Amino acid sequence: MENSLILNWMIMLASFGVLIWLGWKSSKVVVEDEQGDEAGFLLAGRSLGPFVGASTIVATGFSGWGFMGSPGVAYQYGAIELLGNFMFAPAMVIAVLFFANYLSKRAEVLGSCTIPEYAARLHGEGGLGRLVQGVAAIITIVLLLVFLTSQIKAVGLLAAGWLDLPAGYAATLMVAVIIIYTVLGGLTAVAWTDTLMLMGMLIAAVIICGQIFADMSPAHLIESLRAIDPTLVNPQTSDPYGAGKGSVFLILPYAFMFSAVLPYMAVRFLAFRPDVKFHRVAMYVAPFGCILSLIPIVGLYMRVKMPELAQADQAMPTYLNTFLHPALGGFITLCILFAMKSTANSLLHTVASAASHDLRVAVNPMHSNPKTTLLINRGAIVLFGFVGLLMVFFAPPTLLSFLGILGTGTLLATLVGPIFVSAIWRGNAYGALAAMVGGFVTSGGLLLFTDAGWVVGPLTGCVVSSGLYVLVSLMTMGIQQRVEMA
């Protein structure tokens, strides 16, 4: 046991060194752009190629909920989670093929460095535009802090058992390292470290599936689950995603919007090099996503092997400690921690950008000294990193996946009108504001106070947001024109 613990610490410290080194190397992109705008820090200098771009998209999209939350949902609800998880790979491919190019080119023309800024510049100038940017930034900060809390909590739970530390100490250690390399290199550091992390995640997924199917054939696994509870393999509903049996298929449009609209995902589309062909990006995204979609099998396997776990979210940590050699389990644990960090660093970067750039511009649009703005950007990362850490200690005892859905699903419903619908039909600032408020209230209310389902709630919010965007824009076209001319 002592030797295994020493090995775990050696692996972890080595990984810290590599991540911080990548952050330091990537800081050159920030330095090169320091005399211009903030694109060096916020958008990786618009330098991402197809492989790195695809890697950071997939690593961020699957990550912590895929390796910790998703097996827990599969353990509790059964094979419905496996089907739901598979919806994310094609959804990401569709988003890359049919929306990324438009968003990237349009944002470059508008000079947008963030998604709230894109929404603002698309819908108006002056005070109305700044109001859109400020409201979008505040909602982004609030909701992504909820998701960031779930990621930090998951990192702390897993690292605590692996390194034999109290969960609070483990979470603090992980957050500190994330802050260091993100502060150094901004989105470049996030993308480069995500690429390294994704390679580990893919290897971990292959090893896990190899061990499970070497021990138990798919047919045996299905029969064993059916013996425990027939609904685990033949569900009568799509719980936790919705009451209808076909509600699980709503994950496809949800995951598409997830990839195309959420600020911490969509900002990657803005960071690609202008010469990148997005069909090449999709060629990497597809196999990466399909491999990682297999991870919920762990939850099904553990339901057969250990059906009496006290907490469903312990399915993956218990599996690693029980069914794998300590060295192999240590490596895969590191890869899972990588998975969680890949989303945590993206969330932290996006929240900090919303505060240090979007709120600052909304309140004071005057151009600031580049060195000052870079200092503000970096200071916001440190601040919100520790805010997220403090929130972990007050997080309710609920499934980690639910916290993720609450944050991302509600933010998706908030921004779908001004970001996605605007690509089809352009509204105005009043429509954008009404859409954001309506989507926020609808999705958040359904998730917190009803049993509408994890996907049904946000998608209902998307419908309300889209309807309000069009309706209010039509009703106020003349008003906005008079305000802008005044």
Side-chain angles (χ1 to χ4, degrees):
M1 177 65 183
E2 184 67 26
N3 290 336
S4 297
L5 184 59
I6 292 173
L7 177 63
N8 292 345
W9 272 100
M10 291 175 62
I11 293 173
M12 180 58 70
L13 292 175
S15 74
F16 284 172
V18 173
L19 293 175
I20 293 172
W21 178 78
L22 284 173
W24 173 74
K25 291 289 289 184
S26 64
S27 66
K28 293 182 179 180
V29 175
V30 178
V31 172
E32 289 171 359
D33 204 66
E34 191 173 319
Q35 299 306 314
D37 59 21
E38 295 174 87
F41 191 82
L42 300 179
L43 291 180
R46 293 186 172 88
S47 65
L48 299 187
F51 180 77
V52 172
S55 297
T56 188
I57 288 169
V58 175
T60 302
F62 278 88
S63 66
W65 70 266
F67 274 87
M68 285 288 286
S70 188
V73 175
Y75 184 93
Q76 183 163 326
Y77 291 97
I80 194 74
E81 175 66 7
L82 187 61
L83 177 59
N85 219 35
F86 263 107
M87 299 290 175
F88 276 83
M92 288 181 177
V93 171
I94 294 169
V96 168
L97 288 176
F98 297 106
F99 190 66
N101 189 50
Y102 168 83
L103 184 62
S104 174
K105 285 182 167 48
R106 188 64 182 158
E108 186 174 8
V109 170
L110 293 172
S112 307
C113 289
T114 66
I115 296 302
E117 186 170 51
Y118 172 81
R121 295 191 175 183
L122 198 65
H123 291 98
E125 300 177 355
L128 278 176
R130 296 204 309 274
L131 181 60
V132 170
Q133 189 168 359
V135 171
I138 291 170
I139 294 177
T140 295
I141 292 168
V142 171
L143 293 177
L144 290 190
L145 273 177
V146 172
F147 191 21
L148 178 61
T149 299
S150 74
Q151 292 297 303
I152 295 174
K153 183 177 179 181
V155 168
L157 287 173
L158 186 60
W162 193 47
L163 300 176
D164 194 25
L165 286 175
Y169 290 171
T172 302
L173 179 62
M174 299 297 127
V175 169
V177 174
I178 291 171
I179 287 174
I180 290 171
Y181 68 74
T182 306
V183 161
L184 287 171
L187 188 60
T188 310
V190 170
W192 288 9
T193 54
D194 280 356
T195 301
L196 172 65
M197 293 172 185
L198 179 70
M199 298 303 105
M201 291 159 64
L202 295 172
I203 294 171
V206 171
I207 292 173
I208 287 171
C209 290
Q211 184 279 321
I212 289 175
F213 291 129
D215 179 54
M216 183 181 296
S217 70
H220 184 199
L221 178 60
I222 292 172
E223 288 304 316
S224 300
L225 288 167
R226 184 176 286 117
I228 295 171
D229 184 350
T231 61
L232 292 174
V233 292
N234 185 26
Q236 301 306 303
T237 71
S238 289
D239 283 342
Y241 299 105
K245 196 168 184 179
S247 296
V248 65
F249 293 102
L250 293 175
I251 294 177
L252 183 62
Y254 172 87
F256 166 72
M257 295 295 180
F258 171 97
S259 305
V261 174
L262 286 179
Y264 74 96
M265 293 290 293
V267 72
R268 278 138 175 80
F269 299 156
L270 277 58
F272 278 98
R273 293 196 316 262
D275 63 331
V276 166
K277 305 297 182 183
F278 281 94
H279 68 272
R280 292 188 60 194
V281 179
M283 290 174 62
Y284 290 118
V285 170
F288 293 164
C290 287
I291 292 171
L292 295 183
S293 294
L294 296 170
I295 294 300
I297 290 173
V298 172
L300 304 179
Y301 180 75
M302 288 300 293
R303 186 64 183 266
V304 172
K305 291 290 188 176
M306 295 185 172
E308 303 299 329
L309 285 181
Q311 292 183 340
D313 278 331
Q314 288 299 315
M316 178 62 84
T318 306
Y319 165 79
L320 295 174
N321 292 331
T322 307
F323 295 100
L324 293 178
H325 184 277
L328 194 57
F331 170 75
I332 294 178
T333 302
L334 175 66
C335 294
I336 296 173
L337 288 170
F338 273 3
M340 297 173 186
K341 289 179 185 178
S342 68
T343 293
N345 59 29
S346 300
L347 293 169
L348 179 57
H349 180 268
T350 302
V351 169
S353 299
S356 64
H357 179 76
D358 293 307
L359 279 183
R360 176 175 56 82
V361 171
V363 174
N364 179 19
M366 301 299 293
H367 182 73
S368 301
N369 181 279
K371 291 185 177 181
T372 302
T373 57
L374 181 59
L375 182 63
I376 295 171
N377 294 151
R378 286 173 160 161
I381 287 175
V382 176
L383 172 64
F384 283 101
F386 284 105
V387 168
L389 179 63
L390 290 175
M391 288 177 64
V392 168
F393 299 104
F394 300 97
T398 186
L399 282 173
L400 296 175
S401 285
F402 175 75
L403 287 178
I405 291 289
L406 179 62
T408 61
T410 302
L411 185 57
L412 169 59
T414 299
L415 295 177
V416 66
I419 302 300
F420 182 74
V421 178
S422 64
I424 304 169
W425 182 84
R426 180 84 58 81
N428 63 16
Y430 293 110
L433 290 168
M436 288 190 288
V437 174
F440 176 83
V441 172
T442 303
S443 177
L446 289 174
L447 286 172
L448 288 172
F449 305 115
T450 75
D451 297 322
W454 290 3
V455 175
V456 174
L459 287 180
T460 302
C462 287
V463 173
V464 171
S465 176
S466 300
L468 286 172
Y469 178 73
V470 174
L471 180 62
V472 174
S473 293
L474 289 172
M475 293 172 61
T476 58
M477 282 295 184
I479 297 175
Q480 179 159 339
Q481 290 173 1
R482 289 194 295 271
V483 169
E484 290 179 346
M485 291 175 62

